[in-house]
Amino acid sequence: MNEQSIQSQDIKLADVFQAFYTVPDYQREYVWETDQVEQLLSDINSELAGNEPTSAPEYFIGSIVVCPGGDGVLELIDGQQRMTSLFITLCAIRDRMREIGEAPPGALGYQIAATSTDASGCDHFRYRLDLQYEDSGDILVKIAEGCTEQADATRTRSIANILNAYQVTLAFLKAEFGVDTGALRAFYGYLSNKVKLIRIQTKDVAKALKIFETINDRGVGLDSMDLLKNLLFMKASRDEFENLKSQWKELQDTIFEMGEKPLRFLRYFIFSRYDVEALREDEIYGWFSRNESACGYANDPLGFAKELLRSAEAYKNFLNGRDQYGEKNRHLENLQVLGGKAARQHLILLLAGRHLQTEHFDQLAREVENLFFVFVITREPTREFERNFAQWAIEVRKISDESDLNHFIARRFVPAKSELSDRFEDSIRRLHMGAVQQYRLRYILAKLTQHIDMRAYGVTEGTKWLTRYTGGGFEIEHIYPQQPSQKAEDEFGAFEDVYIAERLGNLVLVEKSINASLGNRPYSQKRDIYRQSQLLLTKALVERPKVGANTKIDIAVSELDPFVEWNEAAVLDRQDKLTLLARDVWELPIGDYVDP
């Protein structure tokens, strides 16, 4: 092969495994799971089914990209998943034959391992495929040696996936061929001689990576995360590979640990850092390719990878209710409760605001929490507020001081809440247990309860953390019981609203220690128990605090009149009062918004 050539060979697997291959340590790990392995084996077997092995049609399984490595070994740049699976299949065929008392074909062992002689005349025994990335451990060696019982599948995801591929392949061979040695030999013969791939060989790793990019530039078989990694290695010098590999592995581990989809993280990273308002997941790689200068990865691929990692670490902290430095933040904790496992759109703005001073970031987080709840309770389509946050992130990045922040809030958050103000009131006024998820209902009751306590006692360690109210120490109590006693029914009286027992106005937080004593009693028997609560919103059901006039505590509950009786009218009246309180809690603007 001359200096400029690219060699492309259409070869059968028997010839593929006459060479030695290594998967460089900067490559992605083995990710194939049961479905992909079974699909490969089933497709091959389907081509053989009903035919004599000698007359069965050839079966093409794609391409691999390689370049010369050291000591006569080919570095595998593309096709690792397929090649690893095929190597595992050869090992599994050998082991299955031994299980049923059949000697493996003579060529099979040579396709798994061989001895080569170097220029000095020294012999070197080695396996045809060597995985150099750390997460693979020695699992492939154990499979090649036939010692899988010693493998620890819990060490890494790669080891678990590789061992699973071996077990899936072995199970496939047992299920398809049983103890029919002739059928198993025929499958091996077809695999070796009729299954083919194209091996593309370049003169060096840079050209191999470029071929890899060209083959996969439409995301065929790979996603934008893999292609971006390849792009960075294309721009890096060889002596940067080790550091780049380490940074990328840490990035992947961080994304995996937080349970996030890699492509969603990349989209939100782009929205938060660049002037992009809309981007589909299948457009991510194309965007990076076209915006090399804006991203700076061409001049400093390692620095770009480090910034991705810093963003991922901040992202993970935000999801866990902490700021980018890992410190607890009450508004981010609240968003963790409110968002559940799926909601992530608010992270766009939080990532964009990482440069803000701590007190300014805290203010941004508070505004994000309030607006996010308004969006959620009014059922604003997630696509709409994701689009808003992507647009606003451009402005957040330009905030440099408190004045900028306040102007941004007035220009974006206030009108957004004002526009949804009527829908917000209507949603809270109609709210019942079936209208929202349980965790969000607990969030709503906790915020209302916390707000009254903070009015009375100020922001203290005892009142500032919502987790105190959402934790196991308090439970949701139905003032009119879900399954009332006859006496409770008689006392409550007739009602028309079928949701009356489930309405927000009929719900209150109480200490777990006293909730059991409330049961299905009528309100008249519960009143003395509510008085025992430490929560002012709960106490306010039955009495005004007796601490003097115009104290903070008295003022905190001044708009919450106690109820002597509990019936349908009382539930609806209390729900109206809680609706007004909710406007205060989530800071809905009063009156029509006027653009400053």
Side-chain angles (χ1 to χ4, degrees):
M1 184 170 60
N2 65 47
E3 190 69 7
Q4 297 299 322
S5 67
I6 296 174
Q7 186 180 53
S8 178
Q9 293 177 288
D10 176 3
I11 55 177
K12 59 187 180 182
L13 292 192
D15 294 332
V16 170
F17 285 101
Q18 294 299 303
F20 296 99
Y21 302 87
T22 183
V23 178
D25 57 5
Y26 57 83
Q27 288 281 21
R28 72 168 176 167
E29 62 188 30
Y30 184 77
V31 298
W32 273 21
E33 297 180 348
T34 299
D35 289 347
Q36 291 98 326
V37 176
E38 287 183 342
Q39 188 68 54
L40 174 67
L41 297 170
S42 297
D43 288 348
I44 293 171
N45 196 41
S46 294
E47 292 297 314
L48 171 62
N51 296 296
E52 289 295 322
T54 55
S55 60
E58 292 182 339
Y59 183 60
F60 174 67
I61 58 170
S63 62
I64 62 174
V65 179
V66 299
C67 67
D71 201 19
V73 175
L74 295 175
E75 286 193 5
L76 190 58
I77 304 303
D78 187 28
Q80 191 248 123
Q81 309 296 317
R82 194 177 301 111
M83 283 288 284
T84 303
S85 300
L86 291 168
F87 183 79
I88 289 170
T89 300
L90 294 175
C91 295
I93 291 172
R94 175 203 62 194
D95 295 345
R96 179 57 183 159
M97 286 186 170
R98 288 173 177 171
E99 280 183 2
I100 59 180
E102 178 78 359
L108 179 54
Y110 190 69
Q111 291 169 344
I112 294 172
T115 299
S116 61
T117 304
D118 64 20
S120 302
C122 298
D123 286 347
H124 299 277
F125 175 82
R126 53 191 174 188
Y127 295 105
R128 294 292 182 183
L129 183 63
D130 175 33
L131 306 181
Q132 293 190 344
Y133 53 91
E134 185 179 351
D135 278 7
S136 66
D138 61 353
I139 184 62
L140 201 64
V141 171
K142 290 188 181 298
I143 289 173
E145 291 175 344
C147 302
T148 56
E149 68 280 355
Q150 301 173 15
D152 178 9
T154 64
R155 281 177 55 195
T156 69
R157 283 171 288 161
S158 276
I159 291 175
N161 287 337
I162 292 170
L163 186 59
N164 177 68
Y166 172 78
Q167 293 165 344
V168 167
T169 304
L170 207 55
F172 175 87
L173 298 175
K174 292 178 182 178
E176 289 294 325
F177 310 117
V179 295
D180 186 345
T181 57
L184 184 55
R185 279 182 171 273
F187 178 76
Y188 165 69
Y190 180 75
L191 178 71
S192 291
N193 296 287
K194 292 297 186 78
V195 175
K196 306 180 81 174
L197 55 74
I198 293 177
R199 185 173 68 191
I200 302 169
Q201 184 171 341
T202 68
K203 71 182 183 69
D204 57 32
V205 68
K207 289 192 178 297
L209 287 168
K210 185 62 180 176
I211 294 292
F212 170 91
E213 179 190 38
T214 303
I215 291 172
N216 293 287
D217 67 354
R218 289 184 175 84
V220 180
L222 292 171
D223 62 32
S224 297
M225 198 78 181
D226 298 306
L227 293 169
L228 177 59
K229 174 187 174 183
N230 175 73
L231 188 61
L232 297 186
F233 275 97
M234 283 175 58
K235 303 299 181 182
S237 61
R238 194 65 187 249
D239 59 6
E240 289 180 309
F241 276 19
E242 185 63 31
N243 281 339
L244 189 53
K245 178 203 74 171
S246 176
Q247 291 291 318
W248 198 265
K249 182 181 184 305
E250 197 171 347
L251 171 65
Q252 288 181 309
D253 288 346
T254 299
I255 294 172
F256 176 78
E257 286 166 7
M258 64 183 165
E260 183 54 289
K261 299 174 183 177
L263 296 189
R264 176 157 60 184
F265 163 72
L266 278 183
R267 280 183 74 235
Y268 288 1
F269 169 80
I270 291 171
F271 289 153
S272 72
R273 192 168 177 82
Y274 307 102
D275 294 352
V276 179
E277 297 181 3
L279 188 72
R280 299 195 312 269
E281 287 186 355
D282 61 356
E283 297 173 330
I284 291 173
Y285 179 70
W287 184 90
F288 276 120
S289 297
R290 293 190 304 272
N291 290 275
E292 180 180 297
S293 59
C295 299
Y297 60 77
N299 294 328
D300 188 9
L302 186 58
F304 182 76
K306 288 178 178 179
E307 176 54 30
L308 274 174
L309 176 57
R310 284 192 293 269
S311 295
E313 289 170 341
Y315 195 105
K316 179 182 175 182
N317 281 333
F318 297 158
L319 284 177
N320 291 328
R322 296 177 179 273
D323 65 19
Q324 62 178 314
Y325 308 109
E327 299 296 324
K328 284 180 63 175
N329 180 291
R330 62 193 180 109
H331 303 299
L332 298 182
E333 279 196 356
N334 297 352
L335 280 163
Q336 185 184 19
V337 175
L338 170 61
K341 295 181 178 180
R344 298 285 192 273
Q345 297 86 353
H346 58 283
L347 297 174
I348 299 170
L349 289 183
L350 297 177
L351 284 175
R354 283 189 298 144
H355 67 290
L356 298 175
Q357 294 180 19
T358 301
E359 62 270 24
H360 297 156
F361 180 84
D362 190 64
Q363 186 179 353
L364 176 66
R366 173 177 174 164
E367 294 291 342
V368 168
E369 179 198 349
N370 289 342
L371 181 59
F372 195 75
F373 176 72
V374 173
F375 281 159
V376 167
I377 201 65
T378 58
R379 300 188 180 277
E380 187 75 357
T382 55
R383 186 176 298 175
E384 288 297 314
F385 56 86
E386 180 184 90
R387 184 175 61 187
N388 285 345
F389 289 166
Q391 292 172 346
W392 300 354
I394 298 170
E395 299 174 36
V396 171
R397 292 199 308 275
K398 298 175 183 177
I399 296 172
S400 60
D401 55 30
E402 186 175 4
S403 175
D404 287 347
L405 177 59
N406 289 334
H407 187 64
F408 168 73
I409 292 168
R411 188 172 62 253
R412 293 301 187 188
F413 284 86
V414 174
K417 288 191 289 186
S418 181
E419 184 177 336
L420 295 171
S421 178
D422 290 343
R423 282 168 55 189
F424 177 87
E425 274 202 24
D426 185 64
S427 297
I428 299 294
R429 191 166 277 116
R430 293 171 178 269
L431 188 62
H432 59 83
M433 290 191 72
V436 293
Q437 298 93 329
Q438 182 75 8
Y439 66 88
R440 283 183 172 153
L441 180 66
R442 182 173 287 273
Y443 165 84
I444 292 166
L445 283 168
K447 285 283 288 187
L448 294 168
T449 304
Q450 178 195 44
H451 188 72
I452 294 297
D453 282 356
M454 286 198 295
R455 272 186 185 177
Y457 309 121
V459 179
T460 68
E461 281 301 309
T463 63
K464 72 185 289 188
W465 302 107
L466 194 68
T467 48
R468 177 195 171 221
Y469 300 88
T470 58
F474 296 97
E475 295 179 337
I476 297 176
E477 146 75 355
H478 292 73
I479 303 168
Y480 175 61
Q482 290 176 295
Q483 297 178 326
S485 64
Q486 186 60 53
K487 189 168 183 180
E489 281 189 16
D490 294 342
E491 183 177 292
F492 191 80
F495 56 87
E496 297 179 1
D497 188 342
V498 295
Y499 294 113
I500 199 66
E502 311 297 323
R503 289 216 170 272
L504 178 65
N506 190 57
L507 305 177
V508 68
L509 286 183
V510 296
E511 290 82 351
K512 189 174 182 178
S513 58
I514 66 174
N515 193 34
S517 61
L518 290 164
N520 62 354
R521 299 181 181 189
Y523 179 68
S524 61
Q525 294 180 12
K526 290 183 174 184
R527 286 168 55 85
D528 287 342
I529 301 174
Y530 291 143
R531 286 191 180 95
Q532 300 171 28
S533 177
Q534 301 172 15
L535 305 176
L536 278 180
L537 187 60
T538 305
K539 279 180 177 288
L541 269 172
V542 296
E543 68 177 13
R544 293 274 190 197
K546 299 170 183 174
V547 292
N550 296 319
T551 64
K552 280 189 175 182
I553 296 176
D554 184 55
I555 294 170
V557 295
S558 61
E559 298 171 0
L560 300 171
D561 296 325
F563 292 90
V564 177
E565 297 179 341
W566 197 250
N567 49 36
E568 183 176 35
V571 172
L572 298 178
D573 180 39
R574 184 169 181 266
Q575 186 134 353
D576 284 343
K577 289 182 169 62
L578 292 180
T579 300
L580 294 177
L581 179 62
R583 290 189 63 95
D584 196 23
V585 172
W586 285 283
E587 300 176 347
L588 271 291
I590 297 173
D592 295 331
Y593 169 73
V594 178
D595 192 334

